[in-house]
Amino acid sequence: MARLALGALPDLPAAQRPLVDPRALGVGIVHLGIGAFHRAHQAVFTEEAVAAAGGDWGICGVTQRSRGVLDQLQPQDGLYSVLVRGEDTSLRVAGAVRDLLFAAEEGERLQALLAAPSTRLVTLTVTEKGYRHDPATGRLRRTDPDVAADLTGDALPRTVIGQLVRGLQARRAADAGPITLLSCDNLPANGEVLRGLVTDFCEALPDGGSLAAWVAESVAFPSSMVDRIVPATTDEDRAEAARLLGFEDRGVVVTEPFRQWVVEDRFAAGRPAWERAGAVLTADVAPYEAMKLRLLNGSHSTLAYLGALAGHVYVADAMADPGIAGVVAHLMADDVEPTLAVPDGFDVAAYQRELIERFHNPALRHRTVQIAMDGTQKLPQRLLGTIRDALARGAEPRFACLGVAAWMRYVCTADTVDDPMADRLKELTAEAATPQAAVDALLSLQEVFGEDLPANGRFRDLVTESLEALTKGGVAAATAP
Ligand code: CS2
């Protein structure tokens, strides 16, 4: 079977062709972290925006650690299909990705692109751990060996923040004008966090003060809330795409019908007309961010740990378990909702019902272990914020604490824990023979729990009770109503 590429487009039915002519689209966006999520989310919004309102907003997708996505997309001229699975299945080839770059081997080209006047926007989906920050404080971890190496400036930078700062340095030297760096990762105040990390990095450089001042003047860091569930693509997905397209597509991404993007409208050098594609451009993203991170992602992580412990491979299977589904519903309504500042006119109860439906989508095979990864980087914004706010109001966030306990049980019992702090977690829990000892050991992770939560007796008790229940009676006992 022939491979999808520009030459294949005339053979596709109109409903499967890109909305724009990829050949006519110049690159205006550099995207760091071109995984499945970006391809099913921002790249789709951008293509629709360009189709509606024009502009040279093609994307150069950058990968950091592996050539995988380049091997998929380069032979396909950047084209891939988006396979949407809801009640019906649909597929369309996406046309906004016009160039690809492997940062580990093409650091100089990346720097040149960031310094080019045609590049007006850099977007990021590098995952929580890609920021190399301390999740509890949001500051740059200068002791991280890669960050420390990048700060010496001796070789091409390896970290995302190092690459951005090097690119900004070159942009300033080239007098190429202002630019926007837009974080699209699941972190609260993600724009503010990114601004803080870039500034921390600049200020740690010799003579970095004037660079930091230029950044403050010329670079915008809007925040954004992104939402679309995009499970990892499987061989069956690739087979289905080939059947629907009549061409082999190694880059296909699978997703749900739902998508949402709320973006702070503060750009230094223009942007695509994303509102024409259904994005919400607003002055304040914070209420949307908290709502999404706490309701969707907090539930997701809780489902992932409880589900994986109970042997459920997919999120939809975990949702079919009445005990787990009950925990998710209570977590949202009892623990999270009272902590939210809901935007005016927003129906938060309907939002929760819709989330539950999305989690039930049987056509999306979303693995619990995929969501379970990187727990140390995810817990603070997904569950601990809810717990802090609930405790401060004198409430008992039992379900959010069960989520934390499920993470602890998972960390103590899973064969492999995929987490940047996996070695620390292993060391800490190696000697922990009782639930109480495991709670004591894991709460010593200040980078995750801060100083306040470990010192809060009510929090410790709630987590310990749940971990005891999980240890003695398993998920069924811990989730019994
Ligand atoms: C998930 C998210 O893998 C995870 O941790 O919770 O990727 C989730 O699917 C997205 O944030 C949905 O918008």
Side-chain angles (χ1 to χ4, degrees):
M1 187 179 266
R3 192 97 176 251
L4 175 66
L6 285 172
L9 295 180
D11 294 334
L12 296 179
Q16 290 187 344
R17 274 186 230 144
L19 300 171
V20 296
D21 175 4
R23 287 191 172 90
L25 189 59
V27 169
I29 301 176
V30 173
H31 180 78
L32 305 184
I34 183 167
F37 182 72
H38 172 72
R39 282 180 276 156
H41 189 275
Q42 302 101 63
V44 171
F45 277 94
T46 298
E47 179 173 352
E48 289 186 16
V50 172
D56 267 335
W57 294 109
I59 298 165
C60 173
V62 179
T63 66
Q64 295 291 336
R65 286 171 312 253
S66 104
R67 289 196 55 90
V69 179
L70 272 78
D71 294 340
Q72 291 167 1
L73 297 189
Q74 255 164 352
Q76 301 186 179
D77 302 320
L79 300 178
Y80 60 92
S81 35
V82 180
L83 180 59
V84 178
R85 288 209 179 112
E87 276 170 25
D88 308 310
T89 299
S90 70
L91 173 146
R92 179 192 288 281
V93 172
V97 175
R98 301 314 315 129
D99 191 8
L100 292 142
L101 188 155
F102 184 29
E105 285 173 5
E106 299 176 88
E108 271 147 20
R109 185 157 84 91
L110 174 57
Q111 194 175 315
L113 254 182
L114 294 173
S118 51
T119 304
R120 286 150 291 151
L121 177 57
V122 180
T123 51
L124 291 87
T125 52
V126 295
T127 80
E128 298 85 347
K129 64 176 176 250
Y131 290 81
R132 310 286 177 115
H133 69 309
D134 177 344
T137 62
R139 302 305 298 264
L140 184 68
R141 275 192 284 118
R142 288 180 56 180
T143 51
D144 177 297
D146 289 334
V147 173
D150 284 359
L151 280 168
T152 65
D154 292 342
L156 282 168
R158 281 180 278 187
T159 65
V160 168
I161 303 297
Q163 288 161 355
L164 286 173
V165 171
R166 193 71 76 85
L168 292 174
Q169 243 166 351
R171 190 173 188 89
R172 179 184 178 215
D175 201 12
I179 190 165
T180 302
L181 309 191
L182 175 64
S183 168
C184 301
D185 281 293
N186 283 317
L187 292 168
N190 49 14
E192 202 41 38
V193 168
L194 181 60
R195 191 188 60 75
L197 295 172
V198 165
T199 308
D200 280 354
F201 193 105
C202 291
E203 284 172 351
L205 293 171
D207 300 326
S210 66
L211 179 61
W214 181 83
V215 167
E217 222 170 80
S218 313
V219 186
F221 297 90
S223 284
S224 80
M225 178 272 251
V226 292
D227 188 9
R228 196 170 206 185
I229 295 176
V230 188
T233 306
T234 65
D235 287 342
E236 291 90 76
D237 299 327
R238 280 181 276 269
E240 187 175 1
R243 198 171 49 70
L244 293 168
L245 268 180
F247 289 92
E248 184 190 3
D249 177 4
R250 296 202 194 154
V252 57
V253 291
V254 178
T255 188
E256 59 178 343
F258 183 93
R259 59 175 205 209
Q260 192 177 25
W261 198 6
V262 184
V263 187
E264 188 184 351
D265 201 2
R266 204 159 50 75
F267 286 73
R271 60 166 174 81
W274 288 316
E275 67 278 12
R276 301 287 299 272
V280 174
L281 278 295
T282 172
D284 186 11
V285 178
Y288 294 94
E289 268 180 335
M291 210 167 56
K292 192 264 174 172
L293 289 168
R294 292 183 182 189
L295 288 172
L296 188 155
N297 297 108
S299 298
H300 240 184
S301 289
T302 304
L303 266 168
Y305 297 118
L306 288 173
L309 290 171
H312 300 305
V313 175
Y314 300 113
V315 169
D317 301 336
M319 284 300 287
D321 182 325
I324 298 181
V327 166
V328 168
H330 281 294
L331 167 68
M332 294 203 269
D334 302 355
D335 291 356
V336 178
E337 191 185 323
T339 71
L340 299 174
V342 178
D344 272 353
F346 193 90
D347 185 345
V348 72
Y351 182 72
Q352 290 168 55
R353 285 196 298 277
E354 190 175 31
L355 285 179
I356 288 177
E357 241 172 70
R358 291 169 64 196
F359 296 153
H360 270 295
N361 183 346
L364 263 197
R365 288 185 289 273
H366 200 185
R367 290 181 165 271
T368 50
V369 294
Q370 186 188 344
I371 303 168
M373 68 193 270
D374 297 345
T376 57
Q377 315 296 300
K378 292 176 175 173
L379 289 188
Q381 58 277 15
R382 294 182 177 208
L383 291 170
L384 304 182
T386 295
I387 292 173
R388 279 195 179 91
D389 289 352
L391 290 170
R393 306 172 39 244
E396 300 243 310
R398 278 207 304 127
F399 301 96
C401 288
L402 173 58
V404 174
W407 169 73
M408 291 181 170
R409 184 73 187 144
Y410 181 81
V411 160
C412 292
T413 56
D415 291 338
T416 38
V417 174
D418 196 340
D419 192 292
M421 295 174 82
D423 292 344
R424 283 272 301 287
L425 295 172
K426 203 167 192 176
E427 232 170 74
L428 283 171
T429 52
E431 312 269 294
T434 63
Q436 180 72 62
V439 170
D440 289 345
L442 289 168
L443 289 190
S444 73
L445 286 170
Q446 266 192 18
E447 302 92 317
V448 178
F449 294 100
E451 288 178 17
D452 57 334
L453 284 177
N456 186 309
R458 199 60 209 120
F459 171 64
R460 266 181 187 274
D461 290 348
L462 286 168
V463 174
T464 308
E465 270 163 37
S466 284
L467 189 57
E468 274 165 358
L470 282 169
T471 309
K472 282 193 201 121
V475 172
T479 61

